[in-house]
C-alpha cells in the first residue's frame, strides 16, 4: 500500500489490494477531541431539558417536503415489476451510477431453514411516508417532560437527578430478601417463597419480604421501571406518536379498547424499558465506573497509532472503536469522552416451535464495556418487548417510545450520571453507533426496497441490478449476459473493486439523502413507485429523527449481518446449486450443470455420511456439531451447523467432488469469510479476504451464470454482499462485534426462563423487566454479583489463564520409550542435565510420572488428552486432544498424550507430551486458498514435549475421507484434516463456557 486516501484509489480497477484507508489527513488534529475541553459541561440544574413549542408541522427538514395534499392515487397498479420497468425506461437516468444507487441486500430466504422466511407485511404507499415523517418529527422535538411520551414522576426524577451515593441496603432482612430473590431469579416465585419459609423456620425473628414486596423493592432500587403503551391486538401498531390518540388500528380495524363496566381498558400493551436509568446504574459502583474507561483507552490508542504511522492502521481490527467511522466521529467532536456509545439490535423470535408465538425484542449493547464483558447476559440491556402473535406492520410505532427518550436526552445535550469513582455528577450523551437486525427486520428499519430491487444493496452502493426480460426481480449480476438488451440494466460489466474502492459510507449517505428527497415528494402513487424503483428508497427511516451528530449517518448506521449472510445465505445459494435443486429456467437444462455433483441421492447421502463421520472429532468447545445434511438440512439446520459444515468441514469434503474450478471458487469464499469472522483481523488479512472474495465473486458469475440471461437468478444478494465485508471491517470493525449472534443468544436465554411459565407473552415481558431490573441492581451492588467461580476440585492454576484440570493419576506410572525420550529432550533443551534424583537426561531416561488429563486454555477451551479419551467409545467422543501450538514461532498441530507438572531444581515446569501431525499437503493447501489442511498422522513417531502455554487452541483433526480419492501414496490411510473453531473466541465473548466434566 503506497497511498493512504480513498481518493487515490479511484480508477485502479486492476490492483486487487486497494481498500480505502481511514481518511485521516492531519493525524495531529485527531488527538484533540480526547482533550478534556471537549467533554460536555454539566448544566447547573438537571431539569432544563429543552424548550417548549410543539411542532405540529409534518414537513421534514433538510429541504424534504412530503406532499401532504391528497393526490389522486393510481389504484390500478397491479404488477409492480412491469410498471417499474416501464417507468424505468421513461426516466432512465444518464451517467453516474451514484445518482441512482440504493439499497438493501439482505439475504435470500434468510430463514429458509428456520421456517421463518416471510418479510413483515409492510405495504408501502405515500401515507406511509407521511406517517414516517410524523414519527421522525416528533423525535426531533423530543423532550423528557413532554406529554407525547410521558414518564412517571419517579422515573423522570431518576433520569434528571440520579442518586449520588453508593447503593446501600441497611436493613438486614431486606438485604437477605434481595439476596434470596436474586439467587432464585431463574426459578419460580414458589422457590423464593419456600426459601423464605425455610429461613424463617430456623430464624423466627427474620422478617423476610413477600415476593410482591421484594419485587417492588427491586424496582425502586434499580430505578428501572417499565413504560407501558397500548398496541393493536394483532400487533400491527403501537399507539404512539401519530397513532397515540386513535382508537382503531389503521391496518386491521380492530379496536384499541374494550369496555369493562364503565371503563375503557386497553386490549393489549407492549413494554419499553428506558435506557437512561440502565446506563446510570452502570456508573453507580467504583468498579463499574472504572470499567467504563475501556472506550477512552481504545480511542486514545487508536489515535496514537494513526499518529505514529501517518494515518495508516497496522494493528488488528478488534472493535468498533478501530473503525474509521467511529474515529472520524470522534475527530469531528461528535463523541465526547463521557458519552456512552450503544448499539441497537432487534430480532423476531419464535418462542415455541410449532406454535404461533412470534415476538419481537430489542436490546442495547453498551460498547463502552470491554468486549469480554459486553455480550454477557448481565451486561446486555433490554430495550423493549413487542408481543405477538404477528409481526409488527409498523415497527417505528413500537420503537418510538424507546427512541423518544434517547432523542430527548440528545436534544438536551445529555443527561446526568453520578460517577461512583470520582464522586462527581457528569453529563453524558448517548451516541447510537449501529443498528443491527436480520434481513426482514432490517427492511422495516432502514426503509429500503430489499434484495430484489434494482438498487438492492443494503450498503447503498452504486451497483445496479439486472432483470430478465419481463421479470420483476433484479439481480446484482455484474457481468452483462450475452445479447442482453433489457433497457435500464444493459450496462456493461461492472468491476466490483473499482466500484467499491471509490465508494464510502459518506457517498452512500449523500446519495441516500438525495434519493430520499426525490422519493418523498412523489405526487402520485405511480410516481412514487417509479422513484422507489429507481432509488431503492421506500421511506425515511425513523432513525433520522435522532440527532445526526449523535449517531453514524444513514445508511452507515445499519450494520451488515455477519451471522445470517455467511451462515445461512451463502450455503443456501451453493448447496441447492450443487444438489441440482436450484430453480432452472425452461431454456436451461440441469443436464448442463456440471457443478451439480450432489444431484443423485447416492452422492448426497455419501456426502452426508462424511459430515457425520467427523462428529466424534469435533471438540465439544466447537458447540453443536452439524447434523447429517442429507437428512436434516431442510429441518431447522442451524446457522452454527452451517458454519461448521460449510466453512469448516467443506473444503475437505468437497475436494475432488466439485469440479476443480468450482472447488477453487468455493474455497476462496470460505477462506475469505473465515478471515472476516475472526474477532481480531489484521489489515493484511482484510486485504487477503478482499482479494479472495473478489475472485470468488468474479468466478461465480463466470462459472455458474456463464453470461446467460436465464441464469441471472443465480446471482443473489449473497453473491454481492460479501464484497462489502472487508470494507465494513475497516469502517466499523469486525462483524462479530455487531452480529446477530448476541441477539440470538439473548433470546435463547430468555426463552429458557419463559418455558418455565404458561403464558408466553405476558411472561416474556415480565421476565424481560425482571432481568433489566436485576441487572441494574447487580450493577449498582457488587455484593449481589454471583461470586467468581472457584477453581474446580483438584485444579491447579498455572497462570496466564491456564489451569491443569483433573483427572490425575493417583500414583506414578511408567511411560513409553518415545515419551521418555521426549521428556528427556525437553529438559536437555531447557539446559538441565539431570532430574532432581540425579538421573541424567539421556536416551535411557525412564521416568515414572503422574499424568494430568486436561488443561483449561485462556480462550475457554479445555484441551484433553489421548490418555483419557482413548478409554471412551468413539460414539461417545467429542475429541479435544488435538491442539494448535506455537513452537519457535511456528504454528504446528499435535495430539496430546497427557500433561505433566514437574519440579526440577526448584523450578516448576508444566508441559505436554504429544505426537505431532505431519506437514500439510502443499499442493492442496495452495489449491484451496489455505482452507483445506490435510496431514499425515502416524501416532507415536514424532513425539515431543512442550510448554503447556505454547498451546493456543483446541482444534478438530478428523480422519480425511477425500485425500485418498486422489492420492494413493501410502499416506491416505492415516490422513487427518483440520478444522479450527470459526471466530475462535466468539463463544467466549457470549459467556460460553465449556462443560467441565472430567475424563
Ligand atoms: Zn391491527
Ligand atoms: Zn453493494
Amino acid at each position: 500500500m503506497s497511498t493512504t486516501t480513498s481518493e487515490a484509489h479511484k480508477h485502479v480497477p486492476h490492483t486487487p489490494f486497494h481498500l480505502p484507508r481511514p481518511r485521516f489527513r492531519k493525524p495531529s488534529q485527531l488527538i484533540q477531541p480526547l482533550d478534556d475541553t471537549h467533554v460536555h459541561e454539566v448544566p447547573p440544574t438537571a431539569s432544563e431539558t429543552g424548550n417548549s413549542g410543539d411542532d405540529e408541522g409534518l414537513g421534514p427538514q433538510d429541504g424534504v417536503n412530503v406532499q401532504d395534499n391528497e393526490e389522486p392515487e393510481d389504484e390500478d397498479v397491479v404488477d409492480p415489476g412491469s410498471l417499474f420497468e416501464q417507468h424505468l425506461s421513461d426516466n432512465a437516468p444518464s451517467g453516474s451510477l451514484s445518482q441512482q444507487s440504493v439499497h438493501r441486500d439482505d439475504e435470500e430466504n434468510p430463514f429458509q431453514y428456520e421456517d421463518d422466511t416471510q418479510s413483515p407485511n409492510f405495504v408501502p404507499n405515500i401515507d406511509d411516508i407521511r406517517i414516517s415523517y410524523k414519527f421522525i418529527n416528533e423525535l426531533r422535538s423530543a423532550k423528557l417532560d413532554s406529554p407525547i411520551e410521558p414518564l412517571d414522576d419517579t422515573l423522570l426524577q431518576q433520569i434528571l437527578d440520579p442518586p449520588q451515593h453508593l447503593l446501600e441496603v441497611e436493613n438486614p432482612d431486606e438485604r437477605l430478601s434481595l439476596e434470596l430473590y436474586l439467587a432464585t431469579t431463574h426459578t419460580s416465585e414458589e422457590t423464593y417463597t419456600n426459601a423464605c419459609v425455610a429461613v424463617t423456620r430456623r430464624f423466627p425473628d427474620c422478617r423476610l419480604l413477600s415476593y410482591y414486596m421484594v419485587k417492588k423493592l427491586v424496582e425502586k432500587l434499580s430505578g428501572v421501571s417499565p413504560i407501558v403503551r397500548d398496541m393493536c391486538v394483532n400487533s400491527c401498531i403501537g399507539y404512539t406518536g401519530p397513532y397515540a390518540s386513535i382508537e382503531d388500528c389503521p391496518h386491521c380495524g380492530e379496536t384499541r379498547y374494550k369496555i369493562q363496566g364503565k371503563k375503557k381498558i386497553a386490549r393489549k400493551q407492549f413494554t419499553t424499558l428506558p435506557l437512561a436509568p440502565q446506563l446510570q446504574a452502570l456508573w453507580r459502583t467504583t468498579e463499574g465506573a472504572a470499567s467504563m474507561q475501556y472506550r477512552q483507552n481504545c480511542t486514545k490508542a487508536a489515535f496514537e497509532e494513526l499518529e505514529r504511522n501517518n494515518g495508516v492502521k497496522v494493528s488488528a481490527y478488534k472493535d468498533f472503536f478501530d473503525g474509521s467511522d467511529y474515529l472520524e466521529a470522534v475527530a469531528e467532536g461528535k463523541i465526547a469522552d463521557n458519552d456512552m456509545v450503544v448499539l441497537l439490535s432487534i430480532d423476531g423470535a419464535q418462542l415455541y416451535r410449532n406454535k404461533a408465538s412470534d415476538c419481537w425484542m430489542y436490546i442495547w449493547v453498551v460498547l463502552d464495556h470491554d468486549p469480554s464483558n459486553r455480550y454477557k447476559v448481565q451486561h446486555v440491556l433490554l430495550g423493549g418487548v413487542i408481543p405477538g402473535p404477528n409481526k409488527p406492520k409498523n415497527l417505528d410505532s413500537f420503537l418510538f417510545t424507546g427512541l423518544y427518550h434517547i432523542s430527548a436526552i440528545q436534544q438536551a445535550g445529555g443527561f446526568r450520571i453520578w460517577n461512583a469513582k470520582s464522586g462527581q455528577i457528569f453529563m453524558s450523551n448517548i451516541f447510537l453507533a449501529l443498528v443491527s437486525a436480520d434481513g426482514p427486520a432490517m427492511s422495516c428499519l432502514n426503509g429500503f426496497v430489499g434484495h430484489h430491487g434494482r438498487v438492492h444493496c443494503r450498503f447503498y452502493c452504486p451497483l445496479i441490478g439486472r432483470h430478465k426480460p419481463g421479470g420483476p426481480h433484479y439481480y446484482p449480476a455484474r457481468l452483462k449476459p450475452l445479447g442482453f438488451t433489457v433497457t435500464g440494466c444493459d450496462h456493461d460489466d461492472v468491476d466490483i473493486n473499482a466500484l467499491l474502492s471509490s465508494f464510502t459510507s459518506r457517498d452512500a449517505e449523500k446519495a441516500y439523502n438525495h434519493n430520499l428527497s426525490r422519493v418523498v415528494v412523489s405526487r402520485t402513487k405511480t410516481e412514487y413507485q417509479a422513484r422507489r424503483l429507481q432509488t431503492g428508497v421506500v421511506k425515511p427511516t425513523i432513525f433520522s429523527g435522532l440527532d445526526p451528530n449523535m449517531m453514524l449517518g444513514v445508511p452507515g448506521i445499519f450494520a451488515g449481518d455477519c451471522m445470517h449472510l455467511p451462515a445461512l445465505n451463502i450455503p443456501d445459494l451453493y448447496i441447492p446449486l450443487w444438489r441440482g435443486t436450484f430453480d432452472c429456467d425452461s431454456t436451461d437444462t440441469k443436464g448442463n450443470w456440471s457443478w451439480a455433483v450432489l444431484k443423485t441421492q447416492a452422492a448426497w447421502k455419501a456426502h452426508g455420511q462424511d459430515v457425520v463421520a467427523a462428529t466424534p472429532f469435533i471438540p465439544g468447545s466447537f458447540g453443536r456439531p452439524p447434523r447429517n445434511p442429507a437428512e436434516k438440512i431442510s429441518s431447522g439446520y442451524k446457522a452454527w451447523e452451517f458454519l461448521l459444515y460449510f466453512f469448516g468441514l467443506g473444503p475437505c469434503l468437497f475436494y475432488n467432488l466439485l469440479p476443480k474450478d468450482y472447488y477453487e471458487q468455493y474455497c476462496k469464499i470460505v477462506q475469505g469469510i473465515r478471515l472476516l469472522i475472526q474477532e481480531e483481523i489484521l489489515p493484511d488479512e482484510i486485504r487477503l479476504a478482499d482479494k479472495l472474495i473478489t475472485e470468488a465473486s468474479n468466478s461465480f458469475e463466470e462459472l455458474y451464470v456463464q453470461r446467460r440471461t436465464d441464469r441471472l437468478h443465480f446471482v443473489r444478494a449473497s453473491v454481492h454482499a460479501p464484497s462489502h465485508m472487508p470494507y465494513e471491517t475497516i469502517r466499523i470493525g469486525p462483524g462479530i462485534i455487531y452480529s446477530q449472534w448476541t441477539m440470538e443468544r439473548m433470546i435463547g436465554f430468555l426463552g429458557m426462563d419463559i418455558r418455565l411459565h404458561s403464558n408466553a407473552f405476558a411472561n416474556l415481558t415480565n421476565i424481560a423487566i425482571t432481568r433489566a431490573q436485576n441487572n441494574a441492581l447487580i450493577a449498582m451492588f457488587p455484593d449481589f454479583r454471583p461470586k467468581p467461580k472457584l477453581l474446580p476440585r483438584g485444579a491447579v492454576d498455572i497462570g496466564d489463564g491456564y489451569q491443569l484440570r483433573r483427572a490425575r493419576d493417583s500414583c506414578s506410572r511408567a511411560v513409553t520409550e518415545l515419551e521418555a525420550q521426549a521428556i528427556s529432550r525437553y529438559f536437555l533443551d531447557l539446559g538441565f542435565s539431570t532430574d532432581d534424583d540425579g538421573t541424567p537426561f539421556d536416551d535411557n531416561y525412564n521416568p515414572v510420572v503422574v499424568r494430568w488429563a486436561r488443561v483449561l486454555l485462556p480462550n475457554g477451551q479445555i484441551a484433553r488428552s489421548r490418555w483419557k479419551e482413548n478409554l471412551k467409545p468413539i460414539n461417545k467422543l467429542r475429541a479435544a486432544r488435538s491442539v494448535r501450538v506455537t513452537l519457535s514461532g511456528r504454528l504446528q498441530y499435535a495430539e496430546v498424550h497427557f500433561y505433566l507438572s514437574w519440579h526440577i531444581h526448584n523450578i516448576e515446569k508444566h508441559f505436554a507430551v504429544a505426537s505431532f501431525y505431519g506437514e500439510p499437503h502443499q499442493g492442496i493447501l495452495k489449491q484451496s486458498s489455505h482452507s483445506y489442511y490435510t496431514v499425515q498422522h502416524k501416532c507415536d513417531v514424532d513425539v515431543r514435549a512442550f510448554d503447556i502455554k505454547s498451546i493456543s487452541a483446541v482444534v478438530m483433526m478428523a480422519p480425511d475421507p477425500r485425500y485418498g480419492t486422489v492420492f494413493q501414496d501410502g499416506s491416505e490411510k492415516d490422513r487427518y484434516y483440520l478444522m479450527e473453531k470459526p471466530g475462535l473466541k466468539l463463544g467466549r465473548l457470549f459467556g460460553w463456557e465449556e462443560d467441565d466434566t472430567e475424563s
Side-chain angles (χ1 to χ4, degrees):
M1 289 299 287
S2 55
T3 54
T4 57
T5 68
S6 57
E7 277 301 299
H9 295 303
K10 280 187 179 168
H11 317 299
V12 207
H14 298 298
T15 312
F17 308 118
H18 52 229
L19 291 171
R21 297 295 194 177
R23 290 160 287 149
F24 294 121
R25 288 154 298 269
K26 292 180 193 157
S28 58
Q29 281 185 344
L30 304 171
I31 305 302
Q32 205 184 351
L34 292 173
D35 208 309
D36 280 344
T37 54
H38 284 71
V39 171
H40 296 298
E41 278 176 22
V42 182
T45 68
S47 51
E48 288 177 20
T49 53
N51 46 35
S52 57
D54 264 343
D55 255 352
E56 268 296 273
L58 298 173
Q61 22 286 73
D62 304 327
V64 176
N65 286 303
V66 172
Q67 290 305 123
D68 227 352
N69 307 332
E70 296 296 331
E71 290 280 347
E73 295 187 353
D74 270 0
E75 289 303 340
D76 55 350
V77 180
V78 187
D79 179 350
S82 55
L83 179 89
F84 286 174
E85 192 191 334
Q86 184 196 328
H87 274 270
L88 181 66
S89 40
D90 291 345
N91 300 337
S94 57
S96 158
L97 287 173
S98 65
Q99 291 263 323
Q100 330 141 8
S101 61
V102 183
H103 178 43
R104 106 180 215 83
D105 81 6
D106 100 23
E107 321 73 36
E108 326 289 311
N109 313 323
F111 295 109
Q112 178 161 342
Y113 299 98
E114 307 261 320
D115 214 19
D116 188 21
T117 52
Q118 70 277 44
S119 11
N121 302 326
F122 173 66
V123 185
N125 56 50
I126 302 183
D127 283 343
D128 281 343
I129 292 183
R130 200 161 45 232
I131 291 288
S132 294
Y133 271 115
K134 286 184 180 176
F135 279 114
I136 289 167
N137 287 332
E138 291 197 354
L139 281 187
R140 283 177 173 164
S141 56
K143 293 186 295 287
L144 277 174
D145 55 356
S146 149
I148 290 176
E149 273 293 334
L151 298 174
D152 81 47
D153 289 345
T154 329
L155 182 56
L156 186 60
Q157 194 53 34
Q158 159 84 29
I159 296 173
L160 296 180
D161 196 10
Q164 301 181 29
H165 54 82
L166 293 173
L167 183 66
E168 274 167 11
V169 183
E170 276 163 9
N171 180 321
D173 289 339
E174 281 186 4
R175 212 192 138 89
L176 179 56
S177 304
L178 285 171
E179 294 210 41
L180 283 172
Y181 172 79
L182 290 174
T184 56
T185 297
H186 300 297
T187 60
S188 62
E189 176 176 341
E190 202 186 347
T191 313
Y192 171 81
T193 309
N194 290 343
C196 289
V197 170
V199 171
T200 325
R201 198 170 289 142
R202 175 68 179 82
F203 303 104
D205 291 342
C206 229
R207 294 278 168 271
L208 293 177
L209 302 180
S210 70
Y211 189 74
Y212 174 79
M213 291 306 293
V214 77
K215 273 187 79 83
K216 279 279 156 210
L217 182 62
V218 168
E219 178 174 333
K220 182 172 150 243
L221 293 175
S222 68
V224 177
S225 27
I227 302 172
V228 179
R229 298 282 181 255
D230 299 350
M231 63 182 278
C232 164
V233 281
N234 291 323
S235 14
C236 309
I237 61 155
Y239 289 99
T240 64
Y243 297 136
S245 54
I246 61 173
E247 300 209 351
D248 298 303
C249 172
H251 289 273
C252 71
E254 285 287 343
T255 58
R256 172 171 175 176
Y257 299 108
K258 61 185 172 195
I259 307 296
Q260 240 175 37
K262 286 181 184 165
K263 280 202 289 194
K264 282 202 298 190
I265 295 178
R267 294 172 66 192
K268 191 164 194 161
Q269 294 185 308
F270 72 100
T271 303
T272 304
L273 292 157
L275 181 59
Q278 300 188 71
L279 293 179
Q280 285 169 328
L282 302 176
W283 293 84
R284 192 108 178 258
T285 59
T286 46
E287 304 96 306
S291 77
M292 287 288 140
Q293 199 66 31
Y294 166 77
R295 179 175 65 82
Q296 274 187 50
N297 295 344
C298 282
T299 312
K300 191 156 169 279
F303 279 118
E304 283 171 359
E305 184 191 344
L306 291 170
E307 176 89 48
R308 269 198 311 278
N309 301 305
N310 286 324
V312 178
K313 183 167 170 57
V314 291
S315 66
Y317 287 81
K318 294 178 189 159
D319 205 340
F320 174 73
F321 307 124
D322 292 313
S324 56
D325 270 14
Y326 168 76
L327 295 175
E328 282 181 16
V330 174
E332 287 164 4
K334 290 180 174 176
I335 309 176
D337 282 1
N338 283 340
D339 293 343
M340 311 274 282
V341 179
V342 298
L343 172 158
L344 178 110
S345 179
I346 183 159
D347 202 359
Q350 185 86 7
L351 294 181
Y352 297 105
R353 205 170 285 226
N354 311 323
K355 198 166 156 190
S357 56
D358 222 9
C359 161
W360 285 38
M361 237 187 283
Y362 65 97
I363 55 172
W364 300 102
V365 177
V366 182
L367 298 178
D368 300 80
H369 282 298
D370 183 297
S372 61
N373 271 317
R374 184 187 291 164
Y375 304 98
K376 292 192 171 146
V377 174
Q378 67 267 28
H379 288 137
V380 171
L381 306 179
L382 274 148
V385 180
I386 306 158
N390 303 313
K391 288 185 173 157
K393 291 207 167 68
N394 186 320
L395 195 54
D396 291 358
S397 66
F398 291 99
L399 289 175
F400 181 72
T401 303
L403 293 182
Y404 190 88
H405 300 289
I406 289 173
S407 182
I409 283 164
Q410 291 181 342
Q411 297 292 331
F415 68 126
R416 289 157 64 96
I417 295 182
W418 182 68
N419 180 335
K421 195 170 160 229
S422 66
Q424 307 274 309
I425 286 273
F426 66 95
M427 280 301 272
S428 177
N429 210 336
I430 301 176
F431 188 90
L432 179 57
L434 294 172
V435 175
S436 87
D438 64 17
M442 190 54 97
S443 64
C444 301
L445 296 176
N446 62 10
F448 290 152
V449 283
H451 58 266
H452 285 312
R454 174 170 184 269
V455 187
H456 86 294
C457 179
R458 117 192 236 167
F459 301 100
Y460 217 73
C461 85
L463 182 64
I464 301 296
R466 304 181 196 267
H467 68 86
K468 298 178 187 176
H473 291 171
Y474 285 80
Y475 306 97
R478 293 188 286 105
L479 302 189
K480 183 178 168 182
L482 294 172
F484 190 73
T485 56
V486 177
T487 314
C489 49
D490 57 353
H491 47 277
D492 288 340
D493 293 356
V494 176
D495 180 317
I496 191 69
N497 262 315
L499 185 107
L500 292 184
S501 62
S502 59
F503 163 82
T504 67
S505 60
R506 299 207 170 183
D507 297 336
E509 189 170 352
K510 253 187 245 161
Y512 169 79
N513 285 331
H514 172 82
N515 288 324
L516 174 64
S517 67
R518 288 187 57 219
V519 170
V520 299
V521 298
S522 306
R523 283 157 307 185
T524 64
K525 198 164 187 173
T526 310
E527 187 174 69
Y528 168 62
Q529 289 186 323
R531 290 183 175 178
R532 193 179 72 174
L533 165 72
Q534 260 183 350
T535 65
V537 177
V538 175
K539 61 168 193 161
T541 168
I542 189 166
F543 293 96
S544 50
L546 297 178
D547 181 347
N549 285 319
M550 290 311 295
M551 58 184 267
L552 292 190
V554 175
I557 196 171
F558 300 113
D561 181 347
C562 104
M563 168 175 152
H564 294 93
L565 171 66
L568 295 172
N569 306 324
I570 292 177
D572 185 36
L573 169 70
Y574 287 94
I575 293 169
L577 280 169
W578 297 339
R579 291 182 60 199
T581 55
F582 211 91
D583 281 351
C584 180
D585 279 11
S586 56
T587 47
D588 194 1
T589 162
K590 288 184 184 176
N592 295 335
W593 290 10
S594 63
W595 60 78
V597 293
L598 298 172
K599 205 163 55 181
T600 65
Q601 267 306 315
W604 181 224
K605 272 191 167 163
H607 173 72
Q609 271 313 314
D610 283 348
V611 174
V612 173
T615 304
F617 303 91
I618 301 176
S621 58
F622 280 44
R624 178 181 200 159
R627 289 168 290 163
N628 185 340
E631 289 166 6
K632 301 290 183 189
I633 205 160
S634 48
S635 52
Y637 213 69
K638 298 277 184 260
W640 188 258
E641 291 179 272
F642 272 117
L643 212 55
L644 293 186
Y645 160 46
F646 193 83
F647 295 94
L649 306 177
C652 170
L653 302 188
F654 290 109
Y655 177 71
N656 192 33
L657 183 60
L658 288 169
K660 183 170 169 289
D661 292 347
Y662 292 82
Y663 174 73
E664 289 172 9
Q665 187 271 346
Y666 158 67
C667 289
K668 283 177 182 168
I669 191 81
V670 164
Q671 192 64 5
I673 298 283
R674 278 186 188 175
L675 289 167
L676 294 174
I677 62 175
Q678 297 178 103
E679 66 169 7
E680 292 182 8
I681 314 170
L682 289 164
D684 279 347
E685 292 176 324
I686 297 177
R687 281 190 286 278
L688 175 58
D690 183 53
K691 175 174 178 285
L692 292 169
I693 287 173
T694 302
E695 288 172 8
S697 169
N698 288 338
S699 310
F700 180 85
E701 292 199 38
E702 284 156 13
L703 294 172
Y704 291 91
V705 185
Q706 299 166 1
R707 293 188 186 264
R708 290 178 62 137
T709 303
D710 59 3
R711 290 184 185 165
L712 275 179
H713 64 288
F714 292 3
V715 191
R716 288 184 175 171
S718 53
V719 176
H720 170 64
S723 296
H724 281 280
M725 289 176 69
Y727 294 84
E728 285 293 285
T729 309
I730 289 173
R731 186 175 78 83
I732 52 177
I736 258 184
I737 295 297
Y738 42 84
S739 82
Q740 284 296 102
W741 297 110
T742 315
M743 198 63 203
E744 293 240 319
R745 191 182 139 71
M746 192 73 186
I747 288 169
F749 212 82
L750 289 172
M752 283 190 294
D753 283 352
I754 290 158
R755 278 182 264 280
L756 295 169
H757 302 273
S758 49
N759 178 348
F761 296 128
N763 275 299
L764 177 66
T765 307
N766 284 333
I767 286 164
I769 295 168
T770 303
R771 185 174 295 283
Q773 291 171 340
N774 293 359
N775 286 349
L777 194 62
I778 291 168
M780 289 185 284
F781 217 145
D783 285 9
F784 288 163
R785 219 166 282 162
K787 298 285 168 282
K789 279 205 176 140
L790 299 173
L791 277 183
R793 188 177 65 94
V796 176
D797 189 337
I798 58 173
D800 302 325
Y802 292 83
Q803 288 173 15
L804 286 167
R805 296 227 174 147
R806 289 164 60 96
R808 179 170 174 259
D809 276 324
S810 52
C811 57
S812 301
R813 321 251 162 193
V815 297
T816 67
E817 196 181 328
L818 283 168
E819 289 165 352
Q821 284 170 9
I823 294 168
S824 162
R825 255 196 329 276
Y826 170 73
F827 283 112
L828 277 174
D829 288 351
L830 288 172
F832 298 101
S833 50
T834 62
D835 69 12
D836 276 7
D837 299 332
T839 316
F841 291 123
D842 58 19
D843 282 354
N844 302 319
Y845 190 62
N846 188 17
V848 287
V849 302
V850 173
R851 297 169 296 181
W852 286 83
R854 302 181 306 145
V855 165
L856 172 74
L857 306 181
N859 70 8
Q861 289 182 309
I862 295 176
R864 294 166 187 255
S865 58
R866 187 203 282 175
W867 166 34
K868 280 292 180 183
E869 286 190 343
N870 265 0
L871 304 175
K872 278 192 174 181
I874 183 97
N875 59 352
K876 292 264 165 64
L877 197 62
R878 294 287 301 279
R881 62 175 178 265
S882 291
V883 295
R884 184 180 68 199
V885 291
T886 311
L887 298 177
S888 315
R890 229 179 111 231
L891 272 189
Q892 287 176 277
Y893 297 90
E895 180 201 1
V896 176
H897 297 189
F898 48 80
Y899 306 90
L900 296 176
S901 169
W902 276 29
H903 273 281
I904 178 152
H905 307 318
N906 289 327
I907 298 174
E908 203 156 25
K909 297 305 292 180
H910 308 287
F911 58 101
V913 177
S915 286
F916 276 70
Y917 290 94
E919 290 298 313
H921 188 286
Q922 291 299 328
I924 289 179
L925 202 58
K926 189 149 177 268
Q927 191 194 355
S928 66
S929 302
H930 283 76
S931 64
Y932 175 16
Y933 189 102
T934 175
V935 294
Q936 191 179 12
H937 183 48
K938 297 189 224 156
C939 299
D940 299 314
V941 171
D942 178 10
V943 180
R944 280 178 265 164
F946 51 86
D947 267 1
I948 284 176
K949 289 182 187 173
S950 51
I951 301 176
S952 53
V954 175
V955 302
M956 178 202 83
M957 279 290 184
D960 185 336
R962 301 300 306 168
Y963 181 88
T965 64
V966 176
F967 299 96
Q968 287 85 38
D969 53 11
S971 77
E972 69 273 13
K973 295 280 182 295
D974 32 40
R975 275 272 154 189
Y976 286 78
Y977 71 109
L978 168 76
M979 170 165 70
E980 301 220 28
K981 186 176 177 187
L984 205 61
K985 293 190 206 156
L986 181 82
R988 190 168 57 107
L989 283 182
F990 303 138
W992 159 84
E993 231 172 69
E994 188 168 346
D995 180 28
D996 183 40
T997 47
E998 282 182 23
S999 81

